[in-house]
Amino acid sequence: MAADHGQAGPYQQAPGAYPSGAAPAPGGPGCDVCGAAPATRVTVRGHQGMLIVMRNLWRKGTFCRTCALAVFRKMQSDTMAQGWWGPMSMIITPITLLINLFTLSRIRKLPAPTAAFGPGLDPGRPVLRRPAGMIGMVPLTGFCLVFLFVLLALAIA
């Protein structure tokens, strides 16, 4: 998944493109994807590690709870599976995953969306029930074990 800079990407419509020229729902900003309100400005981050290079990804936009959750789950599960495969990525990936958890807490505080003008994104299955999320648990568990071992070694020394 490439960083989103206004392209439609794998989604049905470009951000801000509402069917029939409709505007966002009144009473605040509408979702960039479906036009539903309430919506909030969110940045979901991702990371792809490769042996020599790496890519930091992000998806910025104003999303309702449903669409933001869909973007979060996709970026988080992809990062869990693809983020670890480089020397610096072993450090950057857990930071990215943690930052996204703070974003998820903001997303969950949004009330259910109403008055959508178009189809929203399907949140799909939770991160740890997706194949990429399950695969990502192996390096994440290894990272946590190494981190705890280092902390224990420092405490003993």
Side-chain angles (χ1 to χ4, degrees):
M1 177 176 197
D4 182 60
H5 299 283
Q7 298 123 346
Y11 304 113
Q12 299 165 350
Q13 58 195 27
Y18 301 104
S20 308
C31 176
D32 288 346
V33 178
C34 67
T40 189
R41 187 92 176 134
V42 174
T43 300
V44 182
R45 301 175 192 292
H47 183 76
Q48 285 181 334
M50 296 168 252
L51 292 177
I52 298 172
V53 296
M54 63 182 132
R55 287 189 340 171
N56 290 312
L57 310 169
W58 62 92
R59 175 80 194 258
K60 294 180 182 182
T62 303
F63 299 110
C64 65
R65 183 175 71 188
T66 304
C67 293
L69 190 58
V71 171
F72 166 82
R73 287 178 175 176
K74 173 74 172 136
M75 296 286 282
Q76 192 81 340
S77 62
D78 287 352
T79 298
M80 286 180 71
Q82 302 169 358
W84 304 97
W85 313 118
M88 288 300 295
S89 295
M90 291 291 211
I91 298 167
I92 295 170
T93 297
I95 294 169
T96 302
L97 295 172
L98 187 61
I99 290 170
N100 280 345
L101 290 179
F102 289 111
T103 302
L104 178 62
S105 71
R106 286 185 50 222
I107 292 169
R108 287 193 171 153
K109 289 178 184 174
L110 280 171
T114 58
F117 291 106
L121 300 177
D122 179 16
R125 298 193 310 208
V127 174
L128 296 178
R129 291 191 182 162
R130 296 172 181 231
M134 288 184 245
I135 291 168
M137 285 304 294
V138 174
L140 182 60
T141 303
F143 174 83
C144 291
L145 291 173
V146 168
F147 183 74
L148 290 173
F149 179 76
V150 170
L151 284 179
L152 183 63
L154 289 174
I156 292 173

